Structures are given as C-alpha cells and as structure tokens.
Amino acid sequence: MTLGFVRPARLDDVVEITRIQLTTWRVAYRRLLPKHILDQLDEDWITRRWREAIAEPPSPQHRVLVAIEQRESPDAGPGSSYVVGFVASGPADDTALAPDEDHRALDKALEDTAAITDLLIEPRWGRRGHGSRLLAASVDLWRTDGFTTALAWTFADDTVTRRFLEGAGWAPDGVSRSLDVDDLLVPQIRWHVALDPLEPPAVTGV
C-alpha cells in the first residue's frame, strides 16, 4: 500500500529538495529553457538557498513543505519514505509583480496576498496526488495566516502546471512578463485564486 502526506521541510530534506529541483527543471523545462542554461544550474547555490529558506525563513509565513510518498507492507510494517516534491510560499512581495506594474500602488493590496515561489513534483512521481496535497496544505496555512488571495507564476508554455492550477480553481489574472534567459525572452503568466476565510468556531452552550 502507498500513502502520501505533506509535512514541513527539515534541514535533512535539503539535499533531496535540491535534487528534485534540478531533475524536474531539466526534464519538465527542457523545451522551455536553453539546454546549456539547464546544464549549468548551480547545485551548490541551490542547496544554500534551500538551507537558508528552511533554517532562517524571512518570516513565520514563509514556509517550505514537502510531499512524502510512503510505502507500507501489510506484513513487514512501515516501509520506505521518499521526498517526492515540495512547495515554497510566503507573503507576496515585489517578485510577485510584473515589471510594468506600479509596485508602490500595489503595496497595500499585497498585504493580504500569499505567493507561491516554487511548486515541483519530481516527474516520476507525478499524477499521484502529491501536487494537490501540497497545494491544499498551503491553502490551509494561508487561511490561518489571514491571507485572502494567492498568486503564482508559470511559464506560458508549461501546460502541465497550467492545467494543474486551473483544475484546482486558479485562473490567469491577465498579467504577464518575460524572463530574460541568456538573451532569450521566456514568457510567463500570473495566476490567482481567492481564499475563502476560515469559518469561526461554533459557540455552544456549556
């Protein structure tokens, strides 16, 4: 039997998170980004980045969650567990905006907005519900934090992620930008979703 669940990332997950990012980018984005750029991704820099994000997040609302696949044997008890994906998110900042947006005018609006910076599932573990569990866990935490909206960027040609977000109730908000990757402009589109507020607990008589 196979179980899947989500938990906060720990420092001993850093190596796997880095490996998943490198593997996923080089497989999923091989048609979107130049091969030499993907081949030259700096593993040491990525490792340091995730270690800092987990050990010293900028705020309590900045979180890294990992998806775990655990195989259990009915005869032998608990089996092996694997980190198969992760999501990183936090309060939206200027990186959630397009270059032509008025950053100062939007500062107030961003106060109630969360933003996904990374959401990756290693390709061989895809279509097993891990992305949905990561997104659902993130939404629960955003609501607890009082966020009312969430944003995420995707590559315009990343049909897999676009379909996933659309299936989860997200929609493009009409904002786009292009990343300059070694003189190649790679278009991105921004997605958004409204977060239903948490229902207050019912008050019952004693």
Side-chain angles (χ1 to χ4, degrees), residues 13 15 19 24 46 57 61 77 82 115 117 147 151 155 159 167 184:
D13 297 320
V15 171
R19 185 191 62 78
T24 304
I46 293 173
Q61 291 75 40
Y82 308 91
T117 56
F147 293 118
L151 302 174
F155 291 116
T159 56
L184 173 68

Side-chain angles (χ1 to χ4, degrees), residues 45-66:
W45 180 85
I46 293 173
T47 300
R48 290 195 302 272
R49 174 190 173 223
W50 288 119
R51 183 172 290 112
E52 292 169 1
I54 294 170
E56 300 178 359
S59 77
Q61 291 75 40
H62 285 84
R63 300 182 178 93
V64 182
L65 306 177
V66 293

